[in-house]
Amino acid sequence: MRITIVGTGYVGLVTGTCFAESGMIVTCVDVDNKKIEKLNSGEVPIFEPGLEQLIERNVKKERLFFTTSLKDCIDDSEAIFIAVGTPPDEDGSADLKYVLSVAGEIGRYLNHYTVVVTKSTVPIGTAKKVKAAVQIELEKRKVNVVFDIASNPEFLKEGNAIEDFLKPDRIVLGIESEEAEKTMQKLYKPFLLNGHPLLFMDIPSAELTKYAANAMLATKISFMNEIANLCDVVGADVNMVRKGIGSDPRIGNKFLYPGVGYGGSCFPKDVKALIKTAKDFQKPLEILTAVENVNMRQKEVLIKKIKSHFKNDIKGKSFGIWGLSFKPQTDDMRDAPSLVIIDHLLSEGCNVSVYDPVAIEECKRRLGSKVKYAKDQYEAIIDVDALILVTEWSEFRIPNFNVMEKLMKNKLVFDGRNIFDPVEMGEFGFTYYSIGRKTVNV
Ligand code: NAD
């Protein structure tokens, strides 16, 4: 089976590679020349655990190809996946210009039956727009080519994307024809051997499922962040509360960790887009609007603690930041809380040095020389007034506190992910702030 994936980013590249791994012949297309050149010379443009080895193996086996020309690979594709970006427009809605431009291009070259599948996260009604955009181009060419559309939202998590794709919790497929159902069934068969469900549904339900899933996860985060902030003022410990509620199976113990707010390429934009869709249909989503507001405030929660500690006088102070990516195991810094924290510190005249195991290059691209880049976590805290922990990479979990003590100007830590033990921090003599837990040695 031959397929084409258009858009070779975090989703497209993982999707294409995993389909190739299951034996299909896959061509990944992107308009970004540099990205395709890199991939064709064996370099992987993003950090995703396990991806490099999988790409290498499938390229060698001649099952995985990279090109900038959709025209050249469209001919024998049984399915064409659109996996390009859908960034937020000014009003919060998903910008469909990349998706629809790909649809138009498909229409310009399509000569045989295929299924055009939207894998990008897109609002309800997009598959119909994709169909119309393909059709318009076919009509311009005065050709009658039968094709189907399908919606196949992606649920992979950056940092665990390969595992998520190869062993999915579920595969959601919006279809409107038996032929498309058969093609998609054939395509996903290798991933269903362990009993993972393939959920066929109508296209609008599939499109909404993706937004509803991300909105629910974002809601859990904002809810726990509010509870943590309440813990801070009433003297409760959010870790205890989390365990106490998480043991109820109706609530579940996953995704109940408070922190410095959600970021990344999906939750912020998808929450915004769903709010906008609901508004357009005169069905405002009040809970989700609150989720977004709480999240924006939460990105400032450490700044508030820092300013309160220094009695609002932080000008000229130095801070070391551990962790830049929006979560561990990725170099993705889109909407990362670290950016909000760094921006704020810089705007108040602070000096900032940063360290991240994989996101330094991405940070350089975004912030240039505004901050100092450290080679390791300890270099980032030399002579600093405080350490700010933003992303909970494993390597930060058990640092050498004796070394830290010697390097830092003050033994002061602001932990945005609750990864250290307050009792231990107290014993080492650190003043330790975290989220929703008792502050130590103030
Ligand atoms: P990305 O920005 O990493 O990649 C998008 C790619 O599409 C880029 O390489 C870009 O050059 C390419 N592109 C743009 N226009 C093109 C065109 N006309 N032809 C060919 N290529 C084109 O984006 P991503 O993170 O992979 O996300 C893609 C979609 O998947 C988005 O809708 C996103 O919401 C959704 N999604 C993302 C994740 C995630 O964790 N990143 C998870 C699930 C769903």
Side-chain angles (χ1 to χ4, degrees), residues 230-378:
L230 185 59
C231 286
D232 268 343
V233 292
V234 300
D237 182 331
V238 74
N239 256 353
M240 296 296 117
V241 178
R242 175 177 61 75
K243 287 178 189 157
I245 64 171
S247 44
D248 182 336
R250 291 171 304 173
I251 296 173
N253 58 12
K254 303 249 165 66
F255 240 69
L256 294 180
Y257 292 83
V260 283
Y262 59 75
S265 65
C266 293
F267 289 179
K269 86 171 170 55
D270 293 349
V271 165
K272 274 194 183 64
L274 188 54
I275 291 172
K276 177 67 171 63
T277 298
K279 207 166 148 199
D280 290 347
F281 284 86
Q282 282 90 46
K283 282 275 170 223
L285 293 174
E286 291 172 27
I287 293 176
L288 220 48
T289 307
V291 165
E292 198 190 19
N293 291 337
V294 168
N295 193 58
M296 283 190 297
R297 280 203 301 273
Q298 195 67 15
K299 287 187 177 177
E300 299 274 352
V301 77
L302 282 187
I303 291 289
K304 284 199 184 113
K305 288 178 194 248
I306 291 165
K307 289 184 79 171
S308 148
H309 177 90
F310 288 106
K311 305 203 168 26
N312 275 328
D313 184 16
I314 59 170
K315 192 168 175 204
K317 299 254 181 298
S318 300
F319 294 93
I321 307 257
W322 283 3
L324 297 164
S325 55
F326 83 94
K327 65 172 182 178
Q329 298 295 331
T330 180
D331 57 354
D332 198 343
M333 285 184 68
R334 288 178 278 188
D335 266 316
S338 63
L339 290 170
V340 175
I341 294 168
I342 293 170
D343 263 8
H344 199 120
L345 294 174
L346 293 176
S347 73
E348 298 233 11
C350 304
N351 303 308
V352 179
S353 47
V354 301
Y355 173 71
D356 186 284
V358 300
I360 290 286
E361 285 312 310
E362 178 59 12
C363 191
K364 281 185 184 165
R365 203 180 62 77
R366 287 168 179 271
L367 298 181
S369 58
K370 288 182 186 164
V371 296
K372 269 205 286 187
Y373 299 96
K375 283 194 295 298
D376 62 43
Q377 69 198 78
Y378 297 109

Side-chain angles (χ1 to χ4, degrees), residues 9-11 30-31 35 84 86 121 154 158 265-266 269 334:
Y10 285 86
V11 167
D30 206 288
V31 282
K35 205 176 251 191
V84 296
T86 44
T121 303
E154 181 49 56
E158 283 175 25
S265 65
C266 293
K269 86 171 170 55
R334 288 178 278 188

